[in-house]
Amino acid sequence: MKVSELREKIRSSTKDELQQIIVEMYKQIPKRMREEKEIDRLIEEPEVFKKSRKSAKQSMKDLDFHSVEQETKTFIANAWAQNYFAPNRAVPKKERSNWRFTAKRLVEQVMSFSNHPVHQKACASLMEELYRLFVYASGHYVFASQEPFDTLKIPQTDFLEWVVLLKKETEDPDQWISGSLKLVIEEDSNYYTTTRSLLGVLLRALNNAPLKERMVAIAEELLHEKRKALKRSKRDGIWKNEQYINHLVQMIFMTQSALGEYQEAINVFKKYYIESGREIKLFVLLQLIMHHQSTNSWINVYEHAVKQGIKPREGLQEAYEYIKQENEFPEYIYAY
C-alpha cells in the first residue's frame, strides 16, 4: 500500500478503528526498532518529534565530511587513551558519561556520508576503526559500559556487516575478503556474539561462486601459515594459535558447504580442526553440518563416528533419533 492510499484509508476510518489499527501496528514493531526509530516519542510528543527530525535532517545538510571525519578520529583517539573512562582534561565529565550519544551520532553520520562514492573509502576506514574500538571495549575498560554494542543498541553482527559491505565497495576482492576475515578472527567478540555468527556475516557477503572460491583459497593460505607458526609457538601462545586455526577451519567449512562441496568441507574439518577430545570434535562438526549441510551428511558422519568407537553424548543421540525419524534437523541440539 502506498502512502497516498494509506492516507485515504485513514480518512474513511472511525476513531475506534484507528485506535485498534495503531495498537496492532505498535505490537508488530520489534522493541529494538521502536527504540531506534523513537516510536514512543512520536506517540507521546508528535510535534516535538517532527521538529527534532526536521532539525536533524537540516543538521546533516549543514555538515561537511571533513568535520565528521575529524570528530570521529578525535573520538577514537580519546577512547583509546581511556579519556572516556578516567578523569582527564581532554574530555569533560558530562561528555564522558554521554559517550554513547556521541558514538551513535558519529556512526550515523559516517554511514550517511558512505552513500557518496567520493567518501566511501574514508568511511570504510572510519567504520573499521570504530568496530575495532568497540570490540576491544567489549572486554576492557574504555567506556563506562563494557558492552558498547549493547549500549549503542547495534548488534555486533550488524556493525560488522556495515564494515564488510563498505570494504567490498571500495577494495578489490582479495583485499576485502582477507581484511574482513582477519578482522573477525583477530578481534574478539562481545559477550552476546559467537565468532561463528560473525563468520556468517562474511559468508553472506560472498554472493557468488568466484568470491566463495577466493575465500576458501585465502583462508587455506592463512591456515597453512598459522599451522607453521603453531609449531614455533611458545607455551603461552599455543592456545591462541589453535583458536585462530579452528576459526579458519570453520570459515572454510561454511564456504565449501555453500559451494555444495560437502565432503571436502568435512575432510578439511577432520584434518585440521584442533581438539583432543574426539567426542567434542564430533559435536562441533555435527553442529556445523546442522547449520550448513544436509541431514544425510549429518547421519553419515554420526554413524561413521560410532563405528570408530566414539560414544556421542546424550544430546547427540537424541538428535540422531529425531533426524532419522523426521528427516529434518531439530531446532536445537543439547550439549549434555
Side-chain angles (χ1 to χ4, degrees):
M1 184 183 294
K2 296 179 180 178
V3 173
S4 58
E5 295 172 329
L6 176 61
R7 291 184 191 279
E8 188 62 34
K9 182 67 178 174
I10 289 173
R11 288 192 190 99
S12 61
S13 300
T14 66
K15 181 179 178 182
D16 289 342
E17 287 174 337
L18 285 174
Q19 286 180 340
Q20 184 179 359
I21 290 170
I22 292 171
V23 170
E24 290 302 319
M25 289 177 68
Y26 184 86
K27 286 159 63 177
Q28 294 299 317
I29 302 173
K31 182 180 178 183
R32 180 168 151 257
M33 183 67 72
R34 294 202 302 263
E35 292 174 345
E36 285 182 0
K37 301 298 182 181
E38 299 182 277
I39 301 299
D40 289 348
R41 189 180 180 196
L42 168 61
I43 295 169
E44 293 169 358
E45 302 176 303
E47 287 303 315
V48 174
F49 176 86
K50 187 177 179 180
K51 288 179 182 178
S52 66
R53 281 302 170 98
K54 186 176 180 180
S55 175
K57 287 181 180 179
Q58 186 60 45
S59 296
M60 283 302 297
K61 288 180 182 178
D62 295 339
L63 278 176
D64 67 277
F65 176 70
H66 178 70
S67 64
V68 171
E69 183 180 35
Q70 289 304 117
E71 186 181 0
T72 303
K73 287 182 176 181
T74 300
F75 171 81
I76 292 170
N78 277 320
W80 282 117
Q82 290 193 312
N83 290 338
Y84 283 97
F85 180 74
N88 64 91
R89 295 182 179 180
V91 179
K93 183 178 180 180
K94 184 178 180 180
E95 176 61 21
R96 292 199 299 272
S97 61
N98 290 332
W99 71 269
R100 62 191 183 279
F101 300 115
T102 301
K104 192 158 188 175
R105 173 175 56 79
L106 290 174
V107 168
E108 290 173 352
Q109 289 173 349
V110 172
M111 285 302 296
S112 176
F113 276 109
S114 73
N115 294 319
H116 303 277
V118 68
H119 300 311
Q120 269 187 343
K121 194 171 183 65
C123 288
S125 177
L126 290 173
M127 287 297 290
E128 183 170 346
E129 289 183 54
L130 286 167
Y131 178 82
R132 291 181 186 276
L133 170 65
F134 296 148
V135 170
Y136 179 82
S138 295
H140 300 82
Y141 292 109
V142 177
F143 304 110
S145 166
Q146 283 188 276
E147 295 297 340
F149 292 107
D150 187 49
T151 303
L152 295 173
K153 294 181 171 50
I154 305 174
Q156 186 176 350
T157 49
D158 289 359
F159 206 113
L160 175 66
E161 184 172 28
W162 297 340
V163 175
V164 171
L165 293 180
L166 279 174
K167 289 171 71 66
K168 185 178 179 180
E169 285 290 325
T170 58
E171 300 172 356
D172 62 70
D174 279 16
Q175 189 178 6
W176 77 260
I177 290 173
S178 177
S180 298
L181 180 57
K182 290 178 180 177
L183 185 62
V184 171
I185 294 177
E186 293 175 0
E187 303 293 334
D188 294 324
S189 58
N190 72 352
Y191 181 78
Y192 304 101
T193 310
T194 64
T195 301
R196 190 170 70 189
S197 66
L198 297 175
L199 294 175
V201 171
L202 301 191
L203 185 62
R204 290 193 294 275
L206 306 170
N207 57 348
N208 58 49
L211 289 178
K212 292 181 178 70
E213 289 164 356
R214 285 307 302 150
M215 172 62 84
V216 172
I218 289 168
E220 285 180 338
E221 185 178 344
L222 288 173
L223 174 62
H224 295 309
E225 289 176 3
K226 190 56 67 172
R227 290 184 75 235
K228 290 178 183 177
L230 180 61
K231 293 177 181 178
R232 302 191 300 267
S233 294
K234 294 182 179 179
R235 193 176 191 86
D236 58 353
I238 289 177
W239 180 82
K240 192 167 186 178
N241 281 327
E242 288 182 344
Q243 186 183 49
Y244 195 104
I245 287 171
N246 286 346
H247 290 328
L248 285 171
V249 170
Q250 288 184 61
M251 190 70 234
I252 294 170
F253 180 96
M254 292 162 64
T255 310
Q256 286 186 319
S257 297
L259 285 166
E261 300 170 354
Y262 288 178
Q263 192 55 51
E264 292 90 336
I266 291 169
N267 292 342
V268 166
F269 182 92
K270 288 182 175 179
K271 184 175 182 179
Y272 295 115
Y273 193 86
I274 302 172
E275 174 54 62
S276 58
R278 294 201 301 164
E279 195 279 337
I280 297 174
K281 186 172 180 176
L282 172 66
F283 180 79
V284 176
L285 174 56
L286 291 175
Q287 286 275 21
L288 283 169
I289 292 175
M290 175 177 165
H291 288 95
H292 301 284
Q293 293 194 13
S294 66
T295 53
N296 286 338
S297 294
W298 200 98
I299 292 292
N300 290 337
V301 168
Y302 180 95
E303 291 180 345
H304 181 69
V306 172
K307 288 178 181 177
Q308 289 186 315
I310 299 175
K311 184 180 179 182
R313 67 191 65 187
E314 188 176 342
L316 288 178
Q317 294 176 36
E318 291 177 357
Y320 174 74
E321 295 299 331
Y322 180 90
I323 295 169
K324 288 281 283 188
Q325 182 176 341
E326 303 294 336
N327 195 32
E328 65 179 19
F329 289 119
E331 288 188 22
Y332 186 79
I333 296 179
Y334 293 98
Y336 56 73

